Amino acid sequence: MKKFMFLIREDLARLAAMTEAELQEDIAAMTAWAEALAAGGHLLSGEPLEPETRYLRKNHIASDGPFAETRESVSGYFLIQAESLDHAAQLAAGCPSLQEDKIAIEVRPLMIYA
């Protein structure tokens, strides 16, 4: 099997406006989905990320992303294994938060050097 990274992208304003109950509901849904990935032998690891960030270029460090108007950011990741990019995308499509249009998931294959 090949390894893939799911980059979870969310609207930062939506995240900041969520109540504690809404946040816990989203966490429970994502946890259940992650447990299903693990039960299927696909989940290798994953973690949520804090919203604070630094974006670096050679001569520039921005505290809020590459552009001042950035609204969406990577809020977490999953490292999974799947047969192919299409299979990985199929697994990502099962995410309840994706289906509810709360997040976007970028699916990226890991580059493995022999």
Side-chain angles (χ1 to χ4, degrees):
M1 282 209 216
K2 298 176 181 178
K3 292 181 182 177
F4 299 87
M5 175 85 50
F6 290 173
L7 297 170
I8 310 300
R9 297 185 179 275
E10 291 190 69
D11 182 320
L12 298 177
R14 184 189 79 80
L15 272 179
M18 289 176 73
T19 66
E20 184 63 27
E22 291 169 329
L23 181 61
Q24 292 305 316
E25 184 179 312
D26 278 5
I27 289 171
M30 290 296 281
T31 299
W33 177 61
E35 289 171 349
L37 288 172
H42 298 289
L43 181 64
L44 300 173
S45 68
E47 295 289 339
L49 300 172
E50 294 285 346
E52 187 176 19
T53 186
R54 297 293 181 267
Y55 180 84
L56 288 81
R57 304 280 306 206
K58 181 179 177 188
N59 295 314
H60 178 73
I61 299 175
S63 62
D64 63 350
F67 308 105
E69 66 273 9
T70 296
R71 291 181 6 113
E72 186 179 83
S73 184
V74 176
S75 63
Y77 73 91
F78 288 93
L79 181 62
I80 65 116
Q81 57 186 6
E83 295 296 328
S84 65
L85 181 57
D86 287 338
H87 183 217
Q90 200 173 43
L91 293 169
C95 176
S97 294
L98 178 77
Q99 293 175 0
E100 294 175 10
D101 201 26
K102 294 178 179 178
I103 66 168
I105 300 177
E106 182 178 347
V107 180
R108 301 282 304 268
L110 270 65
M111 190 178 293
I112 307 296
Y113 294 101

